[in-house]
Amino acid sequence: MADRRLLYGGGGSNMSSVFFQNQRGPSSSSSSSSEPRDSLFIPGSSSSFLGPRSMVSFEDVNGRNRSKRSFFCSFEQEENGEEDLDEYFHHPEKKRRLTTDQVRFLEKSFEVENKLEPERKIQLAKDLGLQPRQIAIWFQNRRARWKTKHLEKENESLQASYSSLRADYDSLVKEKEKLKAEVLHLTEMLLLKEKEKANLELSDTTKLSEAYPKEPIGDLISEDEVSKVSVVACKQEDSSAKSDVFDSDSPHYTDGVHSSVLEPCDSSYIFEPDQSDISQEEEDKLNNSLLPPPAYEFLKIDGAHYFDPSSNSCDFGFPVEDQAFNNFWTY
DNA sequence: TTGTGTTTTATTGCCTCC
DNA sequence: GGAGGCAATAAAACACAA
């Protein structure tokens, strides 16, 4: 480390190069920075160390006073005349910025290759009349700036990508909610339809039981029909409960959007026929025949399953939230 | 003119590679 | 162990509004 600092202080490069690039026309400035630039400077004879102010030169090879400054310095500073020169040498500790042309030159070189091989560093230092150490520092700082900008761009790109994905996600969520509502509506329609259908069948069954009072009802109707009767009984028993289904208090409904539609169906929901018309024995038979089948059958409507058949619980396979709808789509 | 924020040049300390 | 890169930082130079 200390050695490097010493290198900076004692830089062995020739600091007295005089540049004439500006007098060679535009083509010279556009030449590739990776090319040797020997033709663009005149090696000076002085080897005296000028530190950071090394861009200043006094003599050309022949010892003649060609310019008080390097080519680059002359661009911006020659109009300041002697005062500027005084400042230059009376305050040698001051930091001085590179000239615009030096920076342009370095930028072009950086575009070609952002890493600096020792030979290139020496060459650039010669071309620009700077210390190799200054060239190295400039490239180092330039790489840091490039990295910062690159990270900023990357960040912007990621943010744009995130915004786009977020918008997609939001629209999908809206679409999902819309579809949920549609499914809910259609399910209710189907239930109503089934209810009406079951009502008709129920009235037929009642007529049959009146016509054949000794026969158990279970023998007269299919198991499937019994199921339907049961669920309809449930719904009829507590038609007002339907409003409760949509209440947030319902334990089977949690998110305020989804509805499990059906309420738990315990034995109290079972259809109870008019006891005045049926004997105790018959009543028992009837009750047995009307015991609720597995819950999943309750909604076996028109051959389509709507709830989890593996679940016998009265929540009809509706856990909380979206899983209910996953079940919808899987059946 | 001056205070303040930004940019550029340079230093320091640490790390990796050969 | 030396050379070089990088991150963090200091400090000078610069830009600009009030």
Side-chain angles (χ1 to χ4, degrees):
Chain A
M1 184 58 65
D3 290 347
R4 272 195 284 162
R5 315 289 180 253
L6 287 174
L7 266 178
Y8 178 45
S13 68
N14 190 335
M15 289 301 113
S16 54
S17 303
V18 179
F19 293 82
F20 293 99
Q21 186 180 11
N22 60 332
Q23 291 157 1
R24 289 170 176 261
S27 60
S28 63
S29 63
S30 61
S31 64
S32 169
S33 58
S34 62
E35 294 169 7
R37 307 288 300 209
D38 289 351
S39 60
L40 296 179
F41 71 92
I42 299 171
S45 58
S46 169
S47 61
S48 62
F49 171 61
L50 297 173
R53 259 52 69 191
S54 60
M55 63 189 75
V56 179
S57 59
F58 298 94
E59 294 179 344
D60 64 6
V61 181
N62 302 318
R64 289 171 292 167
N65 264 347
R66 297 187 67 109
S67 170
K68 298 276 185 178
R69 306 279 172 94
S70 70
F71 157 76
F72 292 113
C73 287
S74 68
F75 268 103
E76 294 182 330
Q77 294 164 343
E78 65 186 356
E79 69 275 12
N80 294 334
E82 293 298 319
E83 287 176 15
D84 192 50
L85 287 175
D86 286 345
E87 189 193 347
Y88 235 106
F89 296 107
H90 294 149
H91 305 282
E93 75 283 357
K94 278 198 173 181
K95 212 183 264 186
R96 292 195 77 89
R97 292 198 170 190
L98 304 183
T99 67
T100 52
D101 287 277
Q102 280 173 319
V103 170
R104 203 178 303 151
F105 195 96
L106 288 166
E107 287 285 357
K108 279 191 175 183
S109 186
F110 184 84
E111 279 174 24
V112 174
E113 175 62 57
N114 72 345
K115 288 285 175 71
L116 201 56
E117 303 83 24
E119 303 79 30
R120 194 154 146 253
K121 181 169 66 180
I122 298 297
Q123 187 59 50
L124 281 169
K126 278 184 181 176
D127 288 352
L128 299 173
L130 298 169
Q131 291 282 346
R133 171 73 182 157
Q134 282 179 289
I135 304 295
I137 287 168
W138 188 90
F139 266 75
Q140 208 162 295
N141 288 325
R142 186 65 183 80
R143 280 194 295 270
R145 287 197 295 271
W146 179 87
K147 190 178 177 183
T148 304
K149 280 194 175 179
H150 180 71
L151 286 173
E152 278 173 7
K153 276 187 181 177
E154 211 171 57
N155 185 42
E156 281 172 14
S157 151
L158 284 170
Q159 278 187 338
S161 162
Y162 170 78
S163 300
S164 166
L165 285 170
R166 179 78 207 185
D168 285 350
Y169 172 78
D170 287 344
S171 72
L172 284 172
V173 165
K174 278 181 186 171
E175 196 180 334
K176 181 183 157 195
E177 294 303 326
K178 197 176 157 188
L179 290 170
K180 274 183 184 178
E182 199 178 328
V183 165
L184 209 58
H185 179 248
L186 290 172
T187 305
E188 285 176 3
M189 298 271 283
L190 276 171
L191 282 172
L192 279 173
K193 196 177 168 186
E194 281 303 307
K195 195 167 133 184
E196 287 169 6
K197 201 173 160 186
N199 273 336
L200 285 174
E201 289 170 355
L202 183 62
S203 60
D204 289 346
T205 305
T206 308
K207 284 174 187 170
L208 280 172
S209 67
E210 286 171 353
Y212 305 97
K214 301 287 182 186
E215 296 291 331
I217 290 176
D219 293 341
L220 298 174
I221 57 177
S222 71
E223 202 174 299
D224 193 42
E225 286 168 334
V226 170
S227 303
K228 289 171 181 174
V229 168
S230 296
V231 72
V232 170
C234 284
K235 303 302 290 181
Q236 284 178 333
E237 184 78 15
D238 191 10
S239 61
S240 65
K242 190 175 178 182
S243 63
D244 296 338
V245 168
F246 296 96
D247 290 345
S248 58
D249 291 342
S250 171
H252 302 283
Y253 185 80
T254 57
D255 64 0
V257 176
H258 312 135
S259 171
S260 59
V261 179
L262 295 178
E263 282 291 281
C265 189
D266 58 29
S267 59
S268 67
Y269 286 78
I270 297 170
F271 170 71
E272 292 179 15
D274 188 352
Q275 292 182 3
S276 61
D277 294 339
I278 306 172
S279 68
Q280 185 61 43
E281 187 184 355
E282 287 167 340
E283 183 190 333
D284 290 342
K285 282 185 179 178
L286 183 62
N287 280 343
N288 286 335
S289 70
L290 291 177
L291 277 176
Y296 71 89
E297 287 188 326
F298 285 8
L299 281 176
K300 196 173 175 183
I301 298 166
D302 293 338
H305 291 82
Y306 287 89
F307 299 106
D308 185 3
S310 65
S311 169
N312 259 6
S313 67
C314 284
D315 60 6
F316 299 100
F318 272 77
V320 282
E321 296 202 46
D322 295 346
Q323 195 184 335
F325 286 91
N326 291 336
N327 289 340
F328 264 101
W329 303 126
T330 51
Y331 284 93

